[in-house]
Amino acid sequence: MDLVIRDVRVIDGSGGASYRADVGLARGRVAAIRREGEPALSGARTLDAHGLALSPGFIDMHAHSDLALLRDPDHSAKAAQGVTLEVLGQDGLSYAPVDDATLAQVRTAITGWNGGAPGDTTVDFDWRTVGEYLDRLDRGIAVNAAYLVPQGTVRMYAVGWEDRPATDAELARMKQLVAEGLEQGAVGLSSGLTYTPGMYANDSELTELCRVVAAYDGYYCPHHRSYGAGALEAYEEMVALTREAGCALHLAHATMNFGVNKGRAPELLALLDDALDAGADITLDTYPYTPGCTTLVAVLPSWAGEGGPDAVLARLRDDETAERIRHHLEEIGSDGCHGVPVEWDTIEISGVNDPALADHVGRTVLESAKARGEEPWVTARRLLIEDRLGSTILQHVGHEENVRAIMRHRVHTGGSDGILQGLKPHPRAYGTFPHYLGRYARDLGILSLEETVAHLTSRPAARLRLPDRGLVREGYRADLVLFDPDTVAAGSTFEAPRTLPTGIPHVLIDGRFVIEDGVRTDVLAGRSVRRTPD
């Protein structure tokens, strides 16, 4: 054995009862498990783990670390939480597959999520295909990463930013791009159906793309068309669409937000139960917090996004068009704001690209407007223009009873939706997994510790069809977390969002310490985790 972990409480990820054992690691895998009373193991190194629990590494089913993994070798935001695998390419917008023009556009469109705007040289964008991006990850990263082909980027590449149905030739090109991405190792397809240009796709187009995903045994991961007004109808749309395509479905950050959905989580869960009982293949992920996080430009109506970022800025600069945007936002309910009239007191600025605008951060749009003696739309419009659409926001529109009900569901998994950009990011980026273990399992008893670990490990591994991850079993990869069940907690708060968690002293990937005695090592054991062909 390379390492023997002695006298540890094994929470193996199955959801079954925990047990005490010695666990031996060799050549990056779990080589032996000896329960109490069985012959002891010996190895080159021994770790006394009395008082600690050992679980599989946590799988973040919804991550926005597409550039952070390349830019920040430390990546303690996730490594310190016990995350050993992240799923990237989320919400239909990421950096492969692209050509040069598409890459420039997508870099501008999601600079608020990831940085990397045109002119930013902290990352060398030396890839264009999905396979080339995964090869880049294979040079060594902090944690492992899987990738979803982003449908919005694919549409941007093949169709552009026009709000219209794709032609037959354009649809064929999109299907080809999705197939190539899956062949090169992507695990599925994502969409952001409140983000342009992905939201311009109709159900017929999405169904055809999902047929391609089904042919490769991948899954579809939509940020669907509404989490506010019409949320249940939006969930129904995704369930019906994937059933028609014969495609597995994973619902991204499956929340029920805004005032119209207070207390309505049971309706969503009943919808899912009916579909599951009828044979649908469905999973979902959530983060254990009530506010959401996105970019300020995302709340604009879809027609304002047609033509891409430069066209959006031109519309914002035009007084007459800007007034139309305001009318849709404040009086009608923008589709970008989930069909609900915007409430500026719920939208907190969490980050800006231009440091000269930093005084907005930590204030709601309403607070910032009052400080300037102007209407909220005037402040929001100016910020969008001056920050070139790069501002991020927290949207305080969630409901705790919905969060708790959904996390109990039988197909639930954990996802941080962690945006690492900004002066005041959402604490979920640094705290999701210890927050599940500490607050919701230990303190509130919403789930048992064994159940919670299963939600964060074996369930997502099964969705990703990973045959040797997600459980503490002999022969499985030694992607492992040692944590103290009595003290594990998220350190991050809304006031101090970049604070690291407590109670997670050791994290291993392929049997190598990524976190040791609570300190990040210099090990870069992470690699791409690619779709395994049948």
Side-chain angles (χ1 to χ4, degrees), residues 102-451:
T102 303
L103 177 60
Q105 292 173 332
V106 77
R107 287 178 67 177
T108 298
I110 55 174
T111 182
W113 292 355
N114 299 317
D120 181 343
T121 59
T122 56
V123 173
D124 180 9
F125 289 83
D126 58 353
W127 67 85
R128 293 296 179 270
T129 68
V130 169
E132 289 168 350
Y133 175 70
L134 297 177
D135 289 344
R136 177 69 183 278
L137 299 179
D138 284 340
R139 298 180 197 174
I141 48 179
V143 305
N144 296 310
Y147 189 75
L148 296 163
V149 178
Q151 171 260 331
T153 300
V154 166
R155 198 174 211 273
M156 197 185 308
Y157 193 164
V159 181
W161 291 81
E162 298 176 46
D163 184 2
R164 61 169 176 79
T167 67
D168 289 346
E170 289 165 343
L171 179 58
R173 178 60 172 145
M174 286 190 282
K175 292 169 69 174
Q176 178 188 19
L177 289 168
V178 172
E180 289 173 352
L182 292 162
E183 288 170 1
Q184 292 163 12
V187 295
L189 176 74
S190 78
S191 283
L193 299 178
T194 65
Y195 300 129
T196 56
M199 68 192 301
Y200 299 145
N202 58 30
D203 283 2
S204 175
E205 179 179 314
L206 295 172
T207 301
E208 287 302 304
L209 297 183
C210 284
R211 292 188 198 280
V212 176
V213 176
Y216 285 90
D217 204 22
Y219 69 92
Y220 181 45
C221 179
H223 163 130
H224 50 275
R225 297 192 193 274
S226 177
Y227 292 83
L232 284 175
E233 292 79 4
Y235 281 112
E236 289 172 349
E237 175 191 13
M238 295 298 101
V239 170
L241 185 155
T242 49
R243 292 298 301 275
E244 173 68 20
C247 182
L249 173 64
H250 180 84
L251 294 164
H253 38 58
T255 56
M256 294 285 286
N257 289 339
F258 300 89
V260 295
N261 290 317
K262 183 176 175 60
R264 298 188 68 191
E267 297 176 58
L268 166 62
L269 301 180
L271 165 67
L272 298 182
D273 283 335
D274 287 345
L276 289 162
D277 292 344
D281 183 359
I282 302 173
T283 49
L284 58 87
D285 67 68
T286 67
Y287 46 84
Y289 300 87
T290 52
C293 179
T294 187
T295 55
L296 183 58
V297 67
V299 305
L300 302 186
S302 56
W303 59 262
E306 190 170 8
D310 288 341
V312 176
L313 288 166
R315 291 186 181 102
L316 288 167
R317 292 186 182 106
D318 179 76
D319 289 343
E320 183 177 343
T321 308
E323 172 56 23
R324 284 183 60 210
I325 294 172
R326 185 209 62 77
H327 178 72
H328 274 256
L329 276 172
E330 296 185 346
E331 299 178 37
I332 296 176
S334 159
D335 50 2
C337 198
H338 307 275
V340 177
V342 69
E343 297 173 325
W344 294 115
D345 61 336
T346 68
I347 295 181
E348 178 185 354
I349 305 301
S350 59
V352 291
N353 275 347
D354 185 348
L357 301 170
D359 63 332
H360 289 279
V361 175
R363 293 177 169 180
T364 66
V365 173
L366 181 60
E367 289 169 340
S368 213
K370 284 183 176 179
R372 289 162 174 77
E374 58 193 20
E375 292 299 311
W377 168 241
V378 175
T379 299
R381 178 189 177 190
R382 180 186 298 117
L383 183 57
L384 285 163
I385 293 170
E386 292 179 357
D387 207 28
R388 293 195 59 80
L389 314 181
S391 305
T392 51
I393 61 171
L394 302 183
Q395 207 163 3
H396 296 271
V397 292
H399 307 286
E400 180 67 16
E401 65 269 39
N402 287 348
V403 170
R404 295 186 188 189
I406 293 168
M407 73 170 62
R408 292 189 185 102
H409 196 266
R410 53 180 160 146
V411 298
H412 171 267
T413 68
S416 71
D417 197 10
I419 294 175
L420 300 168
Q421 286 293 110
L423 294 174
K424 195 171 180 279
H426 196 303
R428 69 193 186 192
Y430 284 73
T432 286
F433 296 87
H435 205 45
Y436 269 122
L437 297 171
R439 174 168 170 74
Y440 285 93
R442 181 190 61 232
D443 298 343
L444 297 176
I446 302 300
L447 296 166
S448 71
L449 193 56
E450 289 83 357
E451 288 175 306

Side-chain angles (χ1 to χ4, degrees), residues 325 469 482 485 523:
I325 294 172
R469 300 177 196 261
L482 286 132
V523 169

Side-chain angles (χ1 to χ4, degrees), residues 475-490:
Y476 275 57
R477 290 183 179 272
D479 294 355
L480 302 168
V481 182
L482 286 132
F483 64 92
D484 184 340
D486 295 329
T487 64
V488 63

